[in-house]
Amino acid sequence: MNDIAISLQGVTKVFGETVANKDVTMDVKRGEILALLGENGSGKTTLMNMLSGIYYPDGGTISVDGVPVDIRSPKDAFELGIGMVHQHFKLVDVFTAAENMILGVETKERFDRKKVYADMNEICEKYGFDINPEQKVYDMSVSQKQTLEIVKVLYRGANILILDEPTAVLTPQETEKLFNVIRNMKENGKSVIIITHKLHEVLAISDRVAILRKGEYIDTIDTSTATEAILTEMMVGKKVELNIDRPEVKEKFKRLEIKHLNCVDADGVRVLKDINFDVYSGEILGIAGISGNGQKELLEAIAGLQLVSPDSSVVYFEPSEQEESQLVGRTPKQIRDLGVHLSFVPEDRLGMGLVGSMGMSENMMLKNYGEAKGVFTDLKRPKALADQIKEDLEVVTPSLNTPVRKLSGGNVQKVLVGREIASNPTVLMTAYAVRGLDINTSYTIYHLLNEQKKNGVAVIYVGEDLDVLVELCDRIVVLCGGRVNGILDGRNTTKEEIGLLMTNLKEEEN
Amino acid sequence: MDSIISLIRAAVSFGTVIMFGSIGEIITEKSGNLNLGVPGIMYLGGIASLSGVYVYENATENPSSLVCVVIALLCAFIASALGGLIYAFLTITLRANQNVTGLTLTIFGSGVANFFGGSLNTLAGKFEQIAVPVTSAAFRAVFAPLANLGIVGQLVFSYGFMVYLAVIVAIATHFFLNHTRKGLNLRAVGESPATADAAGINVTKNKYLAICIGAGISGFGGTYYVMDYIKGTWANDGSIETLGWLAVALVIFTTWKSKNAIGGAYLFGILYWMYNYVPGLTRSSMEIFKMLPYVVTLVVLIIVSLKNSKEKQPPASLGQAYFREDR
């Protein structure tokens, strides 16, 4: 009896001059959960896109159930029972859940909404999903969208499911729910390939782990014999220290004093409620909270990008003469010029801060074009800066003029964070700086932030990974429902304590 | 009273021209392609039908009305769809900029049409005005028993068949887009081609078909204009172009829903002709009235933007080329 569902033989894919996958040979067994592990740009997604028909391999063969196949389009993949949930959801926003589900399904059947709803409910019942067929996608949360993606794939009768970084945008609770679904699917005899670079998730969910490094296949090992250290070494190719430094800085000065910060968003919802805390130089202040609890607004309010209520106060203390200035009411540019810098990494990475169709040099210019004298732009300095960032942070790009949207996610983030650091800020705010980054790059970023801290910069770090927050930050502000729900000392707190504050609003004191 | 009836009748005729144009454009835009070549395509449709029936009427002793109509519509559809095909090839296969390509098509279409229209007028000889009386009569024929039903007859039943065809096409398009799987797939292509592609929908095929068929329908606007509106002649006066742009404005006015095009087109017609019926207008104040359709479109845009409703937005990937392996 043959228990191999998919077999790859010497699969190769080349983009221009970049080799994304080189001679990959590996198997996926029936009814197993296989984790595909690798750093950013190691070719995990490209490899899976070849299985799902988005890309066509330049070499090698793919066999499904022992038969060599030619997957030329997503339609071919569906016919072979391969379904993929992409990292960036492939859903039509203005369609309902049910409409998204039946997209592209070839059938002579009439389009009967009631019948489709019934089909959808049946799948949901079988696997324990909770989804309303009539809900529009734009009204859905991230985790609902993901559920819909999985339902979509199951509806089309997939036996092999590929999930590309499904947990990247989920909360721990949602992740646990997803894992139960995945185990459920395994029990139904389906093979699941899960792409991720979160090691603890690999250990928690998978049966076997396949590792890619720089487009090449390294090995597949049983999860039972794997540890985080082994996996990291295979992934990176060298031993990596998995501890985050927390250097002590002796001299700390107050940089920001935030008082009674209130903010109402465009829909009239109070997103920030009476925020009070101080920010000191030489420390990393972590901000924790379930996404959408005011983190973004808080940073934007400080940076002058959010309209705040008139009685709010954000006082900035200059390092040299300890002069005070009120930031509320100033323009973002004035605030920037004082040295308060924001690098925000949104879910799609490019949405804020970088222009996708411009190269690295031009993106550097975005923030300092005003400094050049005369009417002509100064091209030399941005180019030198771009060069330096490329060198220092090991940004992988064919050239400084390659549009940044063509770079891999990790490299885009390095450009973004690198640019803000290069401008010598006194207050550096980063949000989700390591979102979607692999271990090695994440540690590079932590290291950079620590460097800044040692140089006397006040660093504000909005993060998602509680383990990292506890290890990296000196103090942690926990936001819940737009309020400060506690300020913890990073040295003697636990992630359970943070988690509790994130989800349970303390009684209002008054 | 008479003047109101006359205004409404003028509005319906006028509306029919732009309704065809805008339904075609709605189908095109639902595939994610913004075709600013509508005026040019309407020109192509107009001149093709005129040339076709001119040749037929002059070559036959007793031209049959039915054949005339078929030739007119067929020629219009083929010529307009070919115009759409040029646009489709440039924007889909070669991924040229859609706005530039569309505008070029408008210039091309009006150039071709006016060249042949002028030539036809010359060919027509001493009167220097071409005429296709049989065809025009067929297009303008009304069903007498209903048309004579007093006011209702005048308002509702006294038009050529294309007025009703336009309404049927608008409703059929609405049904197709919202109640069939093929329509759903087409809308998905316009909203998010990557999603459609991953779902196994042939994006290129859908776009080509939508653009060519959409252009064919837009072209009927030109046919109606030539055969019914100006009674089977040709005028090198650029009025089709004005109507073409109004058809594009109407697409926005309908918020990309073809059933709204029916009422919208007639409303534009009323607004457009209003200046003839408002007493005491001077030459210059007339021009202000002629602005009304555009003003209304702007107002609709403003209201829709303020409401910020996701349902009333243009297709999300409108204007963008799609390439699967683009990273």
Side-chain angles (χ1 to χ4, degrees), chain A residues 93-94 138, chain B residues 29-30 187 190-191 251-252 254-257 300-318:
Chain A
D93 264 357
V94 293
Y138 58 74
Chain B
E29 293 196 14
K30 281 291 179 191
R187 283 196 290 141
E191 291 290 340
V251 173
I252 300 165
T254 63
T255 60
W256 292 265
K257 293 181 179 62
V300 167
L301 265 181
I302 292 169
I303 293 172
V304 167
S305 309
L306 283 179
K307 276 193 162 173
N308 203 11
S309 152
K310 295 243 182 198
E311 307 286 338
K312 293 188 172 141
Q313 299 302 317
S317 85
L318 187 62

PDB file of all heavy atoms in Angstrom, chain A residues 93-94 138, chain B residues 29-30 187 190-191 251-252 254-257 300-318:
ATOM      1  N   ASP A  93     -13.972  40.836  -1.232  1.00  0.00           N
ATOM      2  CA  ASP A  93     -14.527  41.563  -0.084  1.00  0.00           C
ATOM      3  C   ASP A  93     -16.035  41.780  -0.141  1.00  0.00           C
ATOM      4  O   ASP A  93     -16.709  41.692   0.865  1.00  0.00           O
ATOM      5  CB  ASP A  93     -13.858  42.938   0.015  1.00  0.00           C
ATOM      6  CG  ASP A  93     -12.708  42.907   0.983  1.00  0.00           C
ATOM      7  OD1 ASP A  93     -12.500  41.832   1.584  1.00  0.00           O
ATOM      8  OD2 ASP A  93     -12.031  43.921   1.132  1.00  0.00           O
ATOM      9  N   VAL A  94     -16.541  42.125  -1.320  1.00  0.00           N
ATOM     10  CA  VAL A  94     -17.951  42.509  -1.390  1.00  0.00           C
ATOM     11  C   VAL A  94     -18.866  41.308  -1.621  1.00  0.00           C
ATOM     12  O   VAL A  94     -20.064  41.478  -1.765  1.00  0.00           O
ATOM     13  CB  VAL A  94     -18.204  43.551  -2.502  1.00  0.00           C
ATOM     14  CG1 VAL A  94     -17.547  44.861  -2.157  1.00  0.00           C
ATOM     15  CG2 VAL A  94     -17.711  43.048  -3.843  1.00  0.00           C
ATOM     16  N   TYR A 138     -16.130  41.675   3.979  1.00  0.00           N
ATOM     17  CA  TYR A 138     -15.577  42.888   4.599  1.00  0.00           C
ATOM     18  C   TYR A 138     -16.046  43.081   6.041  1.00  0.00           C
ATOM     19  O   TYR A 138     -15.504  43.898   6.758  1.00  0.00           O
ATOM     20  CB  TYR A 138     -15.849  44.137   3.755  1.00  0.00           C
ATOM     21  CG  TYR A 138     -17.297  44.459   3.465  1.00  0.00           C
ATOM     22  CD1 TYR A 138     -18.127  44.980   4.445  1.00  0.00           C
ATOM     23  CD2 TYR A 138     -17.828  44.255   2.196  1.00  0.00           C
ATOM     24  CE1 TYR A 138     -19.439  45.283   4.172  1.00  0.00           C
ATOM     25  CE2 TYR A 138     -19.144  44.563   1.912  1.00  0.00           C
ATOM     26  CZ  TYR A 138     -19.952  45.079   2.909  1.00  0.00           C
ATOM     27  OH  TYR A 138     -21.257  45.374   2.642  1.00  0.00           O
TER      28      TYR A 138
ATOM     29  N   GLU B  29     -16.415  47.057 -17.083  1.00  0.00           N
ATOM     30  CA  GLU B  29     -15.776  47.439 -15.825  1.00  0.00           C
ATOM     31  C   GLU B  29     -15.910  46.355 -14.770  1.00  0.00           C
ATOM     32  O   GLU B  29     -15.073  46.225 -13.885  1.00  0.00           O
ATOM     33  CB  GLU B  29     -16.350  48.776 -15.317  1.00  0.00           C
ATOM     34  CG  GLU B  29     -15.978  49.927 -16.239  1.00  0.00           C
ATOM     35  CD  GLU B  29     -16.165  51.293 -15.610  1.00  0.00           C
ATOM     36  OE1 GLU B  29     -16.334  51.389 -14.386  1.00  0.00           O
ATOM     37  OE2 GLU B  29     -16.119  52.284 -16.369  1.00  0.00           O
ATOM     38  N   LYS B  30     -16.958  45.558 -14.853  1.00  0.00           N
ATOM     39  CA  LYS B  30     -17.101  44.462 -13.899  1.00  0.00           C
ATOM     40  C   LYS B  30     -15.967  43.451 -14.053  1.00  0.00           C
ATOM     41  O   LYS B  30     -15.696  42.667 -13.151  1.00  0.00           O
ATOM     42  CB  LYS B  30     -18.454  43.752 -14.095  1.00  0.00           C
ATOM     43  CG  LYS B  30     -19.626  44.509 -13.469  1.00  0.00           C
ATOM     44  CD  LYS B  30     -19.552  44.487 -11.950  1.00  0.00           C
ATOM     45  CE  LYS B  30     -20.695  45.267 -11.333  1.00  0.00           C
ATOM     46  NZ  LYS B  30     -20.493  45.470  -9.895  1.00  0.00           N
ATOM     47  N   ARG B 187     -17.618  38.951 -11.856  1.00  0.00           N
ATOM     48  CA  ARG B 187     -17.444  40.009 -10.857  1.00  0.00           C
ATOM     49  C   ARG B 187     -16.211  39.750 -10.007  1.00  0.00           C
ATOM     50  O   ARG B 187     -15.493  40.678  -9.616  1.00  0.00           O
ATOM     51  CB  ARG B 187     -18.687  40.108  -9.972  1.00  0.00           C
ATOM     52  CG  ARG B 187     -19.852  40.811 -10.666  1.00  0.00           C
ATOM     53  CD  ARG B 187     -20.904  41.223  -9.671  1.00  0.00           C
ATOM     54  NE  ARG B 187     -21.608  40.074  -9.137  1.00  0.00           N
ATOM     55  CZ  ARG B 187     -21.981  39.973  -7.875  1.00  0.00           C
ATOM     56  NH1 ARG B 187     -21.717  40.939  -7.027  1.00  0.00           N
ATOM     57  NH2 ARG B 187     -22.604  38.890  -7.461  1.00  0.00           N
ATOM     58  N   GLY B 190     -13.187  41.077 -11.630  1.00  0.00           N
ATOM     59  CA  GLY B 190     -13.028  42.524 -11.517  1.00  0.00           C
ATOM     60  C   GLY B 190     -12.676  42.969 -10.118  1.00  0.00           C
ATOM     61  O   GLY B 190     -12.013  43.971  -9.922  1.00  0.00           O
ATOM     62  N   GLU B 191     -13.130  42.228  -9.122  1.00  0.00           N
ATOM     63  CA  GLU B 191     -12.857  42.622  -7.741  1.00  0.00           C
ATOM     64  C   GLU B 191     -11.440  42.228  -7.360  1.00  0.00           C
ATOM     65  O   GLU B 191     -10.705  42.996  -6.771  1.00  0.00           O
ATOM     66  CB  GLU B 191     -13.847  41.934  -6.789  1.00  0.00           C
ATOM     67  CG  GLU B 191     -15.276  42.423  -6.911  1.00  0.00           C
ATOM     68  CD  GLU B 191     -15.450  43.841  -6.392  1.00  0.00           C
ATOM     69  OE1 GLU B 191     -14.599  44.294  -5.611  1.00  0.00           O
ATOM     70  OE2 GLU B 191     -16.438  44.494  -6.783  1.00  0.00           O
ATOM     71  N   VAL B 251     -22.295  55.311 -15.846  1.00  0.00           N
ATOM     72  CA  VAL B 251     -21.802  54.114 -15.147  1.00  0.00           C
ATOM     73  C   VAL B 251     -21.530  54.451 -13.681  1.00  0.00           C
ATOM     74  O   VAL B 251     -21.898  53.709 -12.772  1.00  0.00           O
ATOM     75  CB  VAL B 251     -20.518  53.574 -15.813  1.00  0.00           C
ATOM     76  CG1 VAL B 251     -19.918  52.445 -14.991  1.00  0.00           C
ATOM     77  CG2 VAL B 251     -20.814  53.105 -17.220  1.00  0.00           C
ATOM     78  N   ILE B 252     -20.900  55.596 -13.474  1.00  0.00           N
ATOM     79  CA  ILE B 252     -20.597  56.007 -12.100  1.00  0.00           C
ATOM     80  C   ILE B 252     -21.896  56.312 -11.363  1.00  0.00           C
ATOM     81  O   ILE B 252     -22.095  55.909 -10.224  1.00  0.00           O
ATOM     82  CB  ILE B 252     -19.676  57.247 -12.121  1.00  0.00           C
ATOM     83  CG1 ILE B 252     -18.387  56.909 -12.851  1.00  0.00           C
ATOM     84  CG2 ILE B 252     -19.392  57.728 -10.704  1.00  0.00           C
ATOM     85  CD1 ILE B 252     -17.570  58.116 -13.238  1.00  0.00           C
ATOM     86  N   THR B 254     -24.754  55.045 -11.751  1.00  0.00           N
ATOM     87  CA  THR B 254     -25.504  53.831 -11.384  1.00  0.00           C
ATOM     88  C   THR B 254     -24.808  53.047 -10.285  1.00  0.00           C
ATOM     89  O   THR B 254     -25.325  52.022  -9.850  1.00  0.00           O
ATOM     90  CB  THR B 254     -25.640  52.879 -12.578  1.00  0.00           C
ATOM     91  OG1 THR B 254     -24.328  52.452 -12.951  1.00  0.00           O
ATOM     92  CG2 THR B 254     -26.314  53.528 -13.748  1.00  0.00           C
ATOM     93  N   THR B 255     -23.652  53.510  -9.847  1.00  0.00           N
ATOM     94  CA  THR B 255     -22.785  52.754  -8.944  1.00  0.00           C
ATOM     95  C   THR B 255     -22.620  51.311  -9.438  1.00  0.00           C
ATOM     96  O   THR B 255     -22.742  50.355  -8.683  1.00  0.00           O
ATOM     97  CB  THR B 255     -23.286  52.758  -7.478  1.00  0.00           C
ATOM     98  OG1 THR B 255     -24.581  52.159  -7.445  1.00  0.00           O
ATOM     99  CG2 THR B 255     -23.308  54.126  -6.889  1.00  0.00           C
ATOM    100  N   TRP B 256     -22.343  51.183 -10.707  1.00  0.00           N
ATOM    101  CA  TRP B 256     -21.992  49.914 -11.349  1.00  0.00           C
ATOM    102  C   TRP B 256     -23.104  48.858 -11.262  1.00  0.00           C
ATOM    103  O   TRP B 256     -22.826  47.675 -11.167  1.00  0.00           O
ATOM    104  CB  TRP B 256     -20.675  49.375 -10.794  1.00  0.00           C
ATOM    105  CG  TRP B 256     -19.535  50.245 -11.196  1.00  0.00           C
ATOM    106  CD1 TRP B 256     -18.732  50.053 -12.284  1.00  0.00           C
ATOM    107  CD2 TRP B 256     -19.070  51.445 -10.578  1.00  0.00           C
ATOM    108  NE1 TRP B 256     -17.823  51.070 -12.375  1.00  0.00           N
ATOM    109  CE2 TRP B 256     -17.993  51.933 -11.347  1.00  0.00           C
ATOM    110  CE3 TRP B 256     -19.467  52.171  -9.457  1.00  0.00           C
ATOM    111  CZ2 TRP B 256     -17.304  53.096 -11.020  1.00  0.00           C
ATOM    112  CZ3 TRP B 256     -18.785  53.332  -9.133  1.00  0.00           C
ATOM    113  CH2 TRP B 256     -17.717  53.775  -9.898  1.00  0.00           C
ATOM    114  N   LYS B 257     -24.349  49.325 -11.260  1.00  0.00           N
ATOM    115  CA  LYS B 257     -25.456  48.364 -11.244  1.00  0.00           C
ATOM    116  C   LYS B 257     -26.328  48.639 -12.462  1.00  0.00           C
ATOM    117  O   LYS B 257     -26.924  49.713 -12.583  1.00  0.00           O
ATOM    118  CB  LYS B 257     -26.268  48.516  -9.960  1.00  0.00           C
ATOM    119  CG  LYS B 257     -25.444  48.090  -8.758  1.00  0.00           C
ATOM    120  CD  LYS B 257     -26.243  48.200  -7.478  1.00  0.00           C
ATOM    121  CE  LYS B 257     -25.404  47.752  -6.294  1.00  0.00           C
ATOM    122  NZ  LYS B 257     -24.196  48.583  -6.088  1.00  0.00           N
ATOM    123  N   VAL B 300     -23.700  62.449  -6.945  1.00  0.00           N
ATOM    124  CA  VAL B 300     -23.790  61.036  -6.567  1.00  0.00           C
ATOM    125  C   VAL B 300     -22.452  60.540  -6.034  1.00  0.00           C
ATOM    126  O   VAL B 300     -22.373  59.861  -5.017  1.00  0.00           O
ATOM    127  CB  VAL B 300     -24.237  60.181  -7.774  1.00  0.00           C
ATOM    128  CG1 VAL B 300     -24.037  58.706  -7.492  1.00  0.00           C
ATOM    129  CG2 VAL B 300     -25.688  60.469  -8.085  1.00  0.00           C
ATOM    130  N   LEU B 301     -21.374  60.925  -6.715  1.00  0.00           N
ATOM    131  CA  LEU B 301     -20.045  60.506  -6.260  1.00  0.00           C
ATOM    132  C   LEU B 301     -19.790  60.985  -4.842  1.00  0.00           C
ATOM    133  O   LEU B 301     -19.267  60.256  -4.006  1.00  0.00           O
ATOM    134  CB  LEU B 301     -18.977  61.087  -7.179  1.00  0.00           C
ATOM    135  CG  LEU B 301     -18.498  60.205  -8.318  1.00  0.00           C
ATOM    136  CD1 LEU B 301     -17.428  60.927  -9.116  1.00  0.00           C
ATOM    137  CD2 LEU B 301     -17.942  58.905  -7.776  1.00  0.00           C
ATOM    138  N   ILE B 302     -20.176  62.224  -4.578  1.00  0.00           N
ATOM    139  CA  ILE B 302     -19.934  62.787  -3.248  1.00  0.00           C
ATOM    140  C   ILE B 302     -20.751  62.024  -2.203  1.00  0.00           C
ATOM    141  O   ILE B 302     -20.227  61.619  -1.164  1.00  0.00           O
ATOM    142  CB  ILE B 302     -20.290  64.291  -3.215  1.00  0.00           C
ATOM    143  CG1 ILE B 302     -19.293  65.057  -4.071  1.00  0.00           C
ATOM    144  CG2 ILE B 302     -20.298  64.810  -1.788  1.00  0.00           C
ATOM    145  CD1 ILE B 302     -19.675  66.481  -4.345  1.00  0.00           C
ATOM    146  N   ILE B 303     -22.027  61.787  -2.520  1.00  0.00           N
ATOM    147  CA  ILE B 303     -22.874  61.086  -1.549  1.00  0.00           C
ATOM    148  C   ILE B 303     -22.334  59.688  -1.288  1.00  0.00           C
ATOM    149  O   ILE B 303     -22.213  59.250  -0.144  1.00  0.00           O
ATOM    150  CB  ILE B 303     -24.327  61.021  -2.065  1.00  0.00           C
ATOM    151  CG1 ILE B 303     -24.926  62.422  -2.097  1.00  0.00           C
ATOM    152  CG2 ILE B 303     -25.169  60.110  -1.181  1.00  0.00           C
ATOM    153  CD1 ILE B 303     -26.276  62.499  -2.776  1.00  0.00           C
ATOM    154  N   VAL B 304     -21.978  58.991  -2.388  1.00  0.00           N
ATOM    155  CA  VAL B 304     -21.468  57.620  -2.224  1.00  0.00           C
ATOM    156  C   VAL B 304     -20.192  57.627  -1.391  1.00  0.00           C
ATOM    157  O   VAL B 304     -19.996  56.790  -0.512  1.00  0.00           O
ATOM    158  CB  VAL B 304     -21.222  56.984  -3.608  1.00  0.00           C
ATOM    159  CG1 VAL B 304     -20.416  55.711  -3.481  1.00  0.00           C
ATOM    160  CG2 VAL B 304     -22.548  56.708  -4.283  1.00  0.00           C
ATOM    161  N   SER B 305     -19.313  58.604  -1.643  1.00  0.00           N
ATOM    162  CA  SER B 305     -18.072  58.654  -0.880  1.00  0.00           C
ATOM    163  C   SER B 305     -18.349  58.918   0.587  1.00  0.00           C
ATOM    164  O   SER B 305     -17.710  58.347   1.460  1.00  0.00           O
ATOM    165  CB  SER B 305     -17.161  59.759  -1.416  1.00  0.00           C
ATOM    166  OG  SER B 305     -17.023  59.630  -2.795  1.00  0.00           O
ATOM    167  N   LEU B 306     -19.308  59.808   0.848  1.00  0.00           N
ATOM    168  CA  LEU B 306     -19.619  60.127   2.239  1.00  0.00           C
ATOM    169  C   LEU B 306     -20.172  58.905   2.958  1.00  0.00           C
ATOM    170  O   LEU B 306     -19.840  58.641   4.108  1.00  0.00           O
ATOM    171  CB  LEU B 306     -20.635  61.271   2.303  1.00  0.00           C
ATOM    172  CG  LEU B 306     -20.066  62.667   2.052  1.00  0.00           C
ATOM    173  CD1 LEU B 306     -21.169  63.690   2.130  1.00  0.00           C
ATOM    174  CD2 LEU B 306     -18.976  62.987   3.068  1.00  0.00           C
ATOM    175  N   LYS B 307     -21.013  58.178   2.254  1.00  0.00           N
ATOM    176  CA  LYS B 307     -21.618  57.004   2.888  1.00  0.00           C
ATOM    177  C   LYS B 307     -20.586  55.901   3.082  1.00  0.00           C
ATOM    178  O   LYS B 307     -20.720  55.065   3.959  1.00  0.00           O
ATOM    179  CB  LYS B 307     -22.753  56.478   2.012  1.00  0.00           C
ATOM    180  CG  LYS B 307     -24.066  57.195   2.250  1.00  0.00           C
ATOM    181  CD  LYS B 307     -25.162  56.408   1.598  1.00  0.00           C
ATOM    182  CE  LYS B 307     -26.516  56.787   2.147  1.00  0.00           C
ATOM    183  NZ  LYS B 307     -27.577  56.130   1.377  1.00  0.00           N
ATOM    184  N   ASN B 308     -19.589  55.910   2.216  1.00  0.00           N
ATOM    185  CA  ASN B 308     -18.505  54.954   2.342  1.00  0.00           C
ATOM    186  C   ASN B 308     -19.024  53.521   2.377  1.00  0.00           C
ATOM    187  O   ASN B 308     -18.561  52.703   3.158  1.00  0.00           O
ATOM    188  CB  ASN B 308     -17.706  55.258   3.610  1.00  0.00           C
ATOM    189  CG  ASN B 308     -16.318  54.689   3.501  1.00  0.00           C
ATOM    190  OD1 ASN B 308     -15.921  54.261   2.414  1.00  0.00           O
ATOM    191  ND2 ASN B 308     -15.592  54.661   4.590  1.00  0.00           N
ATOM    192  N   SER B 309     -20.013  53.247   1.530  1.00  0.00           N
ATOM    193  CA  SER B 309     -20.559  51.897   1.513  1.00  0.00           C
ATOM    194  C   SER B 309     -19.749  51.029   0.569  1.00  0.00           C
ATOM    195  O   SER B 309     -19.476  51.420  -0.558  1.00  0.00           O
ATOM    196  CB  SER B 309     -22.012  51.941   1.043  1.00  0.00           C
ATOM    197  OG  SER B 309     -22.358  50.730   0.433  1.00  0.00           O
ATOM    198  N   LYS B 310     -19.360  49.873   1.046  1.00  0.00           N
ATOM    199  CA  LYS B 310     -18.532  48.984   0.230  1.00  0.00           C
ATOM    200  C   LYS B 310     -19.283  48.471  -0.993  1.00  0.00           C
ATOM    201  O   LYS B 310     -18.696  48.058  -1.967  1.00  0.00           O
ATOM    202  CB  LYS B 310     -18.095  47.785   1.072  1.00  0.00           C
ATOM    203  CG  LYS B 310     -17.204  48.172   2.212  1.00  0.00           C
ATOM    204  CD  LYS B 310     -15.848  47.535   2.051  1.00  0.00           C
ATOM    205  CE  LYS B 310     -14.975  47.903   3.223  1.00  0.00           C
ATOM    206  NZ  LYS B 310     -13.578  47.686   2.956  1.00  0.00           N
ATOM    207  N   GLU B 311     -20.608  48.488  -0.901  1.00  0.00           N
ATOM    208  CA  GLU B 311     -21.403  47.932  -1.989  1.00  0.00           C
ATOM    209  C   GLU B 311     -21.458  48.875  -3.180  1.00  0.00           C
ATOM    210  O   GLU B 311     -21.843  48.484  -4.263  1.00  0.00           O
ATOM    211  CB  GLU B 311     -22.837  47.670  -1.514  1.00  0.00           C
ATOM    212  CG  GLU B 311     -22.937  46.842  -0.261  1.00  0.00           C
ATOM    213  CD  GLU B 311     -22.640  45.380  -0.528  1.00  0.00           C
ATOM    214  OE1 GLU B 311     -22.770  44.959  -1.672  1.00  0.00           O
ATOM    215  OE2 GLU B 311     -22.260  44.683   0.422  1.00  0.00           O
ATOM    216  N   LYS B 312     -21.132  50.142  -2.950  1.00  0.00           N
ATOM    217  CA  LYS B 312     -21.333  51.109  -4.019  1.00  0.00           C
ATOM    218  C   LYS B 312     -20.014  51.580  -4.606  1.00  0.00           C
ATOM    219  O   LYS B 312     -19.952  52.637  -5.205  1.00  0.00           O
ATOM    220  CB  LYS B 312     -22.155  52.283  -3.484  1.00  0.00           C
ATOM    221  CG  LYS B 312     -23.558  51.826  -3.159  1.00  0.00           C
ATOM    222  CD  LYS B 312     -24.482  52.949  -2.812  1.00  0.00           C
ATOM    223  CE  LYS B 312     -25.895  52.430  -2.685  1.00  0.00           C
ATOM    224  NZ  LYS B 312     -26.641  53.018  -1.615  1.00  0.00           N
ATOM    225  N   GLN B 313     -18.989  50.827  -4.419  1.00  0.00           N
ATOM    226  CA  GLN B 313     -17.691  51.197  -4.944  1.00  0.00           C
ATOM    227  C   GLN B 313     -17.478  50.548  -6.316  1.00  0.00           C
ATOM    228  O   GLN B 313     -18.118  49.565  -6.648  1.00  0.00           O
ATOM    229  CB  GLN B 313     -16.594  50.730  -3.982  1.00  0.00           C
ATOM    230  CG  GLN B 313     -16.692  51.331  -2.610  1.00  0.00           C
ATOM    231  CD  GLN B 313     -16.641  52.835  -2.641  1.00  0.00           C
ATOM    232  OE1 GLN B 313     -15.839  53.420  -3.356  1.00  0.00           O
ATOM    233  NE2 GLN B 313     -17.526  53.481  -1.906  1.00  0.00           N
ATOM    234  N   PRO B 314     -16.566  51.130  -7.087  1.00  0.00           N
ATOM    235  CA  PRO B 314     -16.204  50.460  -8.340  1.00  0.00           C
ATOM    236  C   PRO B 314     -15.536  49.125  -8.034  1.00  0.00           C
ATOM    237  O   PRO B 314     -15.062  48.917  -6.920  1.00  0.00           O
ATOM    238  CB  PRO B 314     -15.211  51.426  -8.982  1.00  0.00           C
ATOM    239  CG  PRO B 314     -14.769  52.333  -7.903  1.00  0.00           C
ATOM    240  CD  PRO B 314     -15.867  52.392  -6.908  1.00  0.00           C
ATOM    241  N   PRO B 315     -15.518  48.218  -9.018  1.00  0.00           N
ATOM    242  CA  PRO B 315     -14.805  46.961  -8.805  1.00  0.00           C
ATOM    243  C   PRO B 315     -13.395  47.240  -8.288  1.00  0.00           C
ATOM    244  O   PRO B 315     -12.725  48.139  -8.780  1.00  0.00           O
ATOM    245  CB  PRO B 315     -14.776  46.342 -10.208  1.00  0.00           C
ATOM    246  CG  PRO B 315     -15.964  46.908 -10.895  1.00  0.00           C
ATOM    247  CD  PRO B 315     -16.130  48.294 -10.343  1.00  0.00           C
ATOM    248  N   ALA B 316     -12.986  46.467  -7.288  1.00  0.00           N
ATOM    249  CA  ALA B 316     -11.773  46.827  -6.547  1.00  0.00           C
ATOM    250  C   ALA B 316     -10.514  46.868  -7.405  1.00  0.00           C
ATOM    251  O   ALA B 316      -9.615  47.646  -7.130  1.00  0.00           O
ATOM    252  CB  ALA B 316     -11.580  45.876  -5.378  1.00  0.00           C
ATOM    253  N   SER B 317     -10.429  46.045  -8.438  1.00  0.00           N
ATOM    254  CA  SER B 317      -9.179  46.058  -9.195  1.00  0.00           C
ATOM    255  C   SER B 317      -9.346  46.809 -10.506  1.00  0.00           C
ATOM    256  O   SER B 317      -8.563  46.624 -11.431  1.00  0.00           O
ATOM    257  CB  SER B 317      -8.689  44.635  -9.451  1.00  0.00           C
ATOM    258  OG  SER B 317      -9.302  44.108 -10.591  1.00  0.00           O
ATOM    259  N   LEU B 318     -10.345  47.672 -10.569  1.00  0.00           N
ATOM    260  CA  LEU B 318     -10.606  48.433 -11.795  1.00  0.00           C
ATOM    261  C   LEU B 318      -9.367  49.215 -12.201  1.00  0.00           C
ATOM    262  O   LEU B 318      -8.798  49.946 -11.404  1.00  0.00           O
ATOM    263  CB  LEU B 318     -11.778  49.397 -11.566  1.00  0.00           C
ATOM    264  CG  LEU B 318     -12.282  50.137 -12.805  1.00  0.00           C
ATOM    265  CD1 LEU B 318     -12.815  49.165 -13.826  1.00  0.00           C
ATOM    266  CD2 LEU B 318     -13.344  51.146 -12.436  1.00  0.00           C
TER     267      LEU B 318
END
